[in-house]
């Protein structure tokens, strides 16, 4: 795992956008997985900025949404489909036919989840899966206790999530109790996983995910088994990490390691 610690949230978003841009430069048809939530908002602004400056072309990008509430139409302002359109897709030149999302009103849920997984396979897998992390260590809607090998499926939302969502709905009956989410097994099959976290309230889950044991109780800890998992976090979210000085040192040393010539003293260079 690579842990990149930036001073603040803006730094987290800038670094993450640069990593995504770089990953996209190396693929003719990159496949990205997109999360919702507060944390990625700044990242999406940066990506839109890169797009406007010609730094990233979404025409060749295929997108998969990470999760969705069951019962909501894509046009519902609380749906994750709406969120992605509203915060990223409508501002860039992504092709509508290249945007795949979990349908909040599927006819047959199991069949829909299976075909979502199949679609991911058909396009060659996800190159970069972007993630946030919950205060309880969840990734996507894989709450603590989710199987580390779970696939895209129906999940029951936590009581806290249902309660927290109430103000956003006109009446209580409309508040979703179920969701569809990529599984942890689905997520860790991405070639690169990029997790963003900012703020003190994420410090404990970040520390447990990076330095604690791999456990279904902290779903994000499954990323310890991934060969290319990058955590981009701010100082506040890093505050619970025992090894944070090493992560900073490793990040500063990375450029040298990537270019062996840079570690040869100048006078020995021809
Ligand atoms: P947040 O959510 O970005 O709104 O904090 C992250 C998550 O729950 O995965």
């Amino acid at each position: 795992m690579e842990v990149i610690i930036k001073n603040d949230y803006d730094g987290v978003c800038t670094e993450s956008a640069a990593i995504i841009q770089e990953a996209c430069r190396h693929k003719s048809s990159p496949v990205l997985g997109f999360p919702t939530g507060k944390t990625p908002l700044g990242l999406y602004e940066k990506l839109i900025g890169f797009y406007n400056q010609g730094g990233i072309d979404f025409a060749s990008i295929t997108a998969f949404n990470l999760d969705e509430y069951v019962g909501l139409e894509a046009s519902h302002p609380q749906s994750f489909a709406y969120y992605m359109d509203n915060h990223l897709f409508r501002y860039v030149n992504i092709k509508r036919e290249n945007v795949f999302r979990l349908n909040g009103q599927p006819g047959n849920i199991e069949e829909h989840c299976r075909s979502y997984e199949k679609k991911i396979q058909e396009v060659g897998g996800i190159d970069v899966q972007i993630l946030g992390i919950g205060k309880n260590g969840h990734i996507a809607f894989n709450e603590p206790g989710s199987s580390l090998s779970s696939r895209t499926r129906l999940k029951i939302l936590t009581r806290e999530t249902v309660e927290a969502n109430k103000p956003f709905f006109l009446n209580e009956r409309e508040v979703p109790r179920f969701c569809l989410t990529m599984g942890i097994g689905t997520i860790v099959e991405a070639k690169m996983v990029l997790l963003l976290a900012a703020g003190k309230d994420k410090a404990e889950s970040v520390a447990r995910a990076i330095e604690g044991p791999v456990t279904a109780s902290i779903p994000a800890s499954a990323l310890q088994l991934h060969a290319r998992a990058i955590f981009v976090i701010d100082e506040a979210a890093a505050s619970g990490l025992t090894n944070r000085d090493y992560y900073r040192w490793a990040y500063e040393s990375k450029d040298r390691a990537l270019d062996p010539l840079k570690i040869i003293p100048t006078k020995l260079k021809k």
Side-chain angles (χ1 to χ4, degrees):
M1 274 200 303
E2 187 177 356
V3 181
I4 301 175
I5 303 171
K6 306 304 289 186
N7 285 342
D8 54 21
Y9 174 63
D10 190 62
V12 168
C13 296
T14 305
E15 179 80 20
S16 303
I19 291 170
I20 293 165
Q21 184 187 37
E22 184 62 16
C24 290
R25 281 203 313 129
H26 292 285
K27 277 255 20 219
S28 52
S29 308
V31 182
L32 305 181
F34 289 101
T36 58
K38 279 203 301 289
T39 311
L41 288 173
L43 166 67
Y44 296 154
E45 277 176 24
K46 302 278 179 201
L47 289 176
I48 293 165
F50 283 4
Y51 164 73
N52 287 332
Q53 292 156 17
I56 187 164
D57 181 12
F58 280 79
S60 59
I61 289 176
T62 295
F64 283 87
N65 288 3
L66 194 58
D67 42 19
E68 185 57 278
Y69 289 127
V70 170
L72 302 191
E73 289 178 6
S75 59
H76 192 290
Q78 295 306 320
S79 78
F80 293 163
Y82 186 93
Y83 171 107
M84 284 311 307
D85 283 342
N86 213 31
H87 293 294
L88 181 61
F89 298 151
R90 62 188 281 212
Y91 299 106
V92 297
N93 65 339
I94 196 160
K95 295 184 181 140
R96 293 286 123 182
E97 66 268 28
N98 289 343
V99 175
F100 295 94
R101 43 206 195 189
L102 286 158
N103 182 351
Q105 299 188 312
N108 178 327
I109 287 178
E110 281 183 16
E111 178 50 37
H112 179 59
C113 292
R114 258 196 310 274
S115 73
Y116 202 65
E117 293 266 345
K118 194 158 162 260
K119 192 72 220 171
I120 294 173
Q121 297 304 322
E122 278 170 14
V123 299
I126 292 174
D127 293 305
V128 184
Q129 176 63 60
I130 308 157
L131 293 176
I133 182 171
K135 281 186 271 187
N136 62 2
H138 74 206
I139 44 176
F141 267 131
N142 298 287
E143 300 293 352
S146 294
S147 161
L148 298 185
S149 57
S150 51
R151 312 302 309 187
T152 303
R153 70 210 183 289
L154 179 86
K155 284 288 286 180
I156 301 167
L157 296 169
T158 60
R159 191 188 296 273
E160 293 74 28
T161 303
V162 174
E163 287 299 320
N165 280 341
K166 280 186 181 170
F168 303 114
F169 291 86
L170 290 176
N171 63 64
E172 218 171 305
R173 266 181 304 134
E174 214 196 355
V175 184
R177 280 199 171 223
F178 304 98
C179 63
L180 301 181
T181 180
M182 280 189 204
I184 300 174
T186 320
I187 290 169
V188 298
E189 277 174 14
K191 290 164 198 116
M192 180 198 289
V193 179
L194 182 65
L195 186 148
L196 285 66
K200 184 87 185 137
D201 63 344
K202 298 291 173 70
E204 188 187 339
S205 62
V206 163
R208 292 180 71 188
I210 296 173
E211 295 180 342
V214 175
T215 166
S217 298
I218 298 287
S221 67
L223 301 179
Q224 290 180 31
L225 301 173
H226 197 285
R228 192 96 181 84
I230 307 177
F231 281 67
V232 187
I233 59 182
D234 70 356
E235 290 284 355
S239 59
L241 290 168
T242 307
N243 293 324
R244 54 183 187 278
D245 285 344
Y246 173 71
Y247 306 135
R248 286 198 193 92
W249 167 254
Y251 179 69
E252 284 161 18
S253 307
K254 201 169 70 166
D255 277 350
R256 294 161 185 252
L258 288 176
D259 180 355
L261 287 178
K262 284 192 190 153
I263 55 174
I264 299 173
T266 317
K267 64 179 180 185
L268 294 182
K269 280 191 192 171
K270 293 236 157 88

